[in-house]
Every structure is written in C-alpha cells, then in structure tokens.
Amino acid sequence: MSELRDWAGLPDGLLHSVITLLGSFPDLLTFAATCRFWRAAFSSFPSKSTFYTLFPPLLLQPNVPFCSPRPFPNVARNTFVPKRPCYVTDLTSQDTLLCSQIPLLSIDYGNNCPPNALDKFAFRGASFGHMIFSWNRSCLVFDVFTGIDVSPPLLPVDEYTEIYYGAALTAPLSSPNSHLIVSTASSNFFWHVGSNSWLKRSPRSGTLDKFVAFKGQVYGMGSDRRLFMVHLTPQIRLQKIPVSWGGRNSMTKWHFSTPWLVVCGDMLLMVGCQNCFPGTGDVLEAYRLDTSIEPAKWVKVEKLENWAIFISMDERVQPLSCVNPERWGGRSNCVYCYDSGHLVVFELGKPLQGDAIKPDVFIFICCGSMVQPIWMVPSMFSLC
C-alpha cells in the first residue's frame, strides 16, 4: 500500500471490497463517478447485476421550485434537451434530497413555461432508468441519471395516431438487444436501439400495454389480461401463453381493476386490487405465474417472504422490487406507494388502515401526460 501514490491507484480487488460495503444507489454512483479508475473497477465488479434488487429504488419528484445543493453525481448538462430540476429521494437516507434533471415539458407549467423543443411532447412511460416521451411520430428516450438522450427514427404512423397506451424499454439502452416498445390503440411498434426502422406487431386480441423482463425473456400483457411472450430474436414475434384462472384461492380473469406485472427474484407476479385506486380499506393481492404445468396458472401468493414491491402513481411505469428491505429500515411483504407527499405502505393481503399514514388515503393511478412522482433505478443497475 505504501507504494500507491494516490487513491486512483488502488487495486481492483481492494476497490471491489469497498463496493460491497456501500449501502445505496447514490453511494454506488458517487463511487463510480469519482475517477475513471474507480469507474473501471465498478464496471468489472463480478456481481453488479444483483445491485438493482439490494436497495430500494429512488423516488423522482418533479415540479420542485429549486434543487438541493447536493447534486446528483455524473449528470450530463450539455445535451440539446431543455431540462428542469427534480428531487431524488433515497429511502436509505430519507433526510437527503439529491438533485437530478428531467426534460422540461410545457404541459408541466402551462403558459408560464417558455417555448422549447419539447413543447408538444408528453410523458409516456419509464423503465430501466429511462423516461420516454412522445409527440405525434417522434419519441425521445432520456436517461434521468446521466442526462443522455436518444431519438429513435420517426414512427411509421399517420399524423393522427397517438401513443396513448404507453412505452417501455426491454433492457437498458446499453444492452445489445435493447428494444423500445410503444403502444397505440391498435398496434405495438418495436425499435431495436440503434437501428433505422420500426417493426409493427399486434396480437389479434389488441395491443399490449404492460411489459416486464423476466429470466432473460420479455412478457407482455394487454388490457384483457392475456399474457404473451415477446420474442425479440431472431425476429420479433408475439406468442400467446395459455394461462388457467381456476382453482382454489385463485383469481378470475377480471379480478383486478388495475394489475401490475413485477419480478421478485424467481417469481413473475401480477399485483393489484379490485378498485381502480387502492386506498384505505382496500387489499392488495399478488399471484405468481406457475409455468411448471400446462396450461400455466396464476397461483395466489399469501406472502412475499423477504421481498418488497414499489408501485408508481403512473401505471405505465414498471413496478420494481427489493430483497431484504429490513436492511435499510423497510418492511418485507409490503407494497410501497407514494402519494401527495406521503409514503404509503400496503401489507400484502391486509387492508390499509387510514390512521397508519393519514385519514382516507388512496393512491391515484395516473396515466396523463405530465410526469408524476415515480420509482426508478439508475440505468447502470437496471439489469435483467
């Protein structure tokens, strides 16, 4: 050690041991942003793909009048996209508000917003650390934690077609097989990141509006709750998965008003409640996809064991999960939501008590054009 001239010269083995002691995504990002040697050590860390479930996701809160004096590390500020500040809250240190930036949309501030290149763009979804915006035939994919933006080619649709039904990535942009999927009223369009064209695919029953990556495969679900496997290679193909809905303690096809697909370790879950807006007195339930039998079956899960789930206000944002939440002061077998400045925690299978957080709480599940508070994991950790 005496031969080392500075911290940058620390060997990778020692730096890897430091990484294992870090306790949050901001700590990891700060470590990686320290210098190119430390970033290289972080990139070569053998178990980096496990980080995205070890810590709670970060909560992005837009529409703030100013930003914390502590900036978020490694956020680029020289791209052409006009930006505005947003808070990033880390549940491992709730008294700390970091500062990040997201694209500035005129709809967020109405007539008080100065004209800019995104005047007509609207928020359409978020996944793998990226926010997705669109207007007419144009899309924009924006990495919240680096400030890097990507503009796909124009969609092959007419000027009257709108992406009302959301958009999602199948993997981080840096992944070789990453695709952007956008959903219109009648079709799904797929763009292989870096290519020059879109492909159009649609199941006969209608468009798919929810997507999740699970064990190296992408699954999609439509409003009718039908489940599809999305094959991206060697060519894009949608394969319907027959799923049984019968059996003891199982759900009916229309049991959930607003379902979410989320991965907890080796489980692909459907989570939801019977009301459109979960609130005081409502019960959130979870069902696991059992593919060991044919047809596959949704089986009710009584407990999430050592997992917690995070659901955003906007149903187009992919839910996230965290293992062993007690290590940062959280609770297992719970679903975390954020509404009107309050963190709301539903214990799976039990009604939410109004006086536990605030009277008559209920979560408004938004699908409008504006950006709402959402849970996200930085793209460099959003591995599937």
Side-chain angles (χ1 to χ4, degrees):
M1 292 291 294
S2 60
E3 298 178 359
L4 296 176
R5 296 183 177 180
D6 50 42
W7 288 98
L10 293 174
D12 282 358
L14 182 56
L15 291 175
H16 288 170
S17 65
V18 172
I19 290 174
T20 61
L21 301 176
L22 300 178
S24 68
F25 288 125
D27 288 346
L28 290 167
L29 285 169
T30 301
F31 178 95
T34 300
C35 64
R36 63 186 181 91
F37 299 101
W38 286 32
R39 183 173 184 84
F42 172 82
S43 299
S44 64
F45 188 78
S47 302
K48 189 165 79 279
S49 61
T50 65
F51 280 140
Y52 78 105
T53 62
L54 295 182
F55 312 117
L58 303 175
L59 178 66
L60 270 68
Q61 302 178 66
N63 297 327
V64 295
F66 60 89
C67 223
S68 165
R70 180 184 174 191
F72 211 86
N74 201 33
V75 175
R77 303 181 187 275
N78 58 351
T79 58
F80 80 93
V81 177
K83 305 178 187 70
R84 60 185 173 88
C86 69
Y87 282 147
V88 180
T89 302
D90 174 21
L91 294 186
T92 65
S93 179
Q94 294 190 44
D95 59 340
T96 301
L97 290 174
L98 302 173
C99 178
S100 186
Q101 292 187 331
I102 61 175
L104 174 66
L105 306 180
S106 61
I107 56 175
D108 290 323
Y109 291 100
N111 295 330
N112 296 324
C113 180
N116 66 74
L118 297 180
D119 269 350
K120 297 183 179 180
F121 276 71
F123 177 67
R124 299 305 184 195
S127 52
F128 295 103
H130 295 81
M131 302 179 76
I132 305 165
F133 304 85
S134 77
W135 172 69
N136 199 270
R137 300 175 60 200
S138 300
C139 293
L140 175 71
V141 183
F142 183 85
D143 190 322
V144 175
F145 301 98
T146 66
I148 297 173
D149 54 83
V150 174
S151 296
L154 295 178
L155 279 163
V157 297
D158 59 47
E159 60 180 322
Y160 303 105
T161 301
E162 187 60 271
I163 307 173
Y164 289 114
Y165 291 80
L169 288 168
T170 63
L173 288 180
S174 58
S175 299
N177 199 33
S178 178
H179 285 71
L180 172 63
I181 308 176
V182 299
S183 305
T184 66
S186 59
S187 303
N188 291 113
F189 291 87
F190 295 77
W191 175 60
H192 189 184
V193 175
S195 67
N196 297 318
S197 61
W198 294 80
L199 289 178
K200 178 180 177 181
R201 296 288 186 273
S202 296
R204 294 181 180 179
S205 58
T207 188
L208 304 180
D209 53 22
K210 290 180 174 63
F211 298 91
V212 65
F214 178 58
K215 294 184 176 180
Q217 182 62 58
V218 176
Y219 291 81
M221 176 179 285
S223 58
D224 60 359
R225 314 297 191 266
R226 294 185 183 182
L227 191 66
F228 288 78
M229 186 174 290
V230 182
H231 298 276
L232 300 174
T233 57
Q235 59 182 2
I236 295 176
R237 180 169 58 91
L238 304 179
Q239 176 189 353
K240 181 182 176 182
I241 302 176
V243 181
S244 168
W245 302 85
R248 182 182 179 184
N249 292 329
S250 64
M251 61 192 297
T252 63
K253 190 172 183 178
W254 304 106
H255 185 78
F256 289 159
S257 177
T258 302
W260 293 271
L261 292 177
V262 60
V263 174
C264 291
D266 61 354
M267 298 186 296
L268 175 57
L269 301 177
M270 181 191 292
V271 180
C273 71
Q274 296 188 33
N275 291 328
C276 293
F277 314 119
T280 302
D282 289 326
V283 175
L284 283 174
E285 298 177 345
Y287 294 80
R288 173 180 59 86
L289 183 66
D290 183 359
T291 57
S292 64
I293 56 177
E294 292 187 5
K297 179 183 293 187
W298 289 112
V299 179
K300 188 172 183 178
V301 175
E302 300 297 339
K303 284 192 174 182
L304 297 174
E305 300 303 336
N306 58 338
W307 287 91
I309 294 173
F310 296 79
I311 292 178
S312 298
M313 293 176 64
D314 195 312
E315 62 180 318
R316 296 166 301 192
V317 178
Q318 294 180 350
L320 298 166
S321 61
C322 176
V323 68
N324 296 325
E326 283 77 12
R327 67 192 296 266
W328 49 265
R331 294 163 54 192
S332 295
N333 195 46
C334 287
V335 178
Y336 284 77
C337 303
Y338 182 85
D339 177 59
S340 302
H342 293 265
L343 187 66
V344 185
V345 184
F346 292 83
E347 185 172 355
L348 191 71
K350 295 183 179 181
L352 178 69
Q353 301 300 317
D355 58 358
I357 304 294
K358 64 174 182 175
D360 301 323
V361 65
F362 80 103
I363 306 302
F364 176 65
I365 304 301
C366 174
C367 57
S369 298
M370 296 177 64
V371 181
Q372 304 293 332
I374 57 177
W375 300 103
M376 295 188 75
V377 169
S379 56
M380 61 197 308
F381 308 108
S382 302
L383 304 178
C384 52

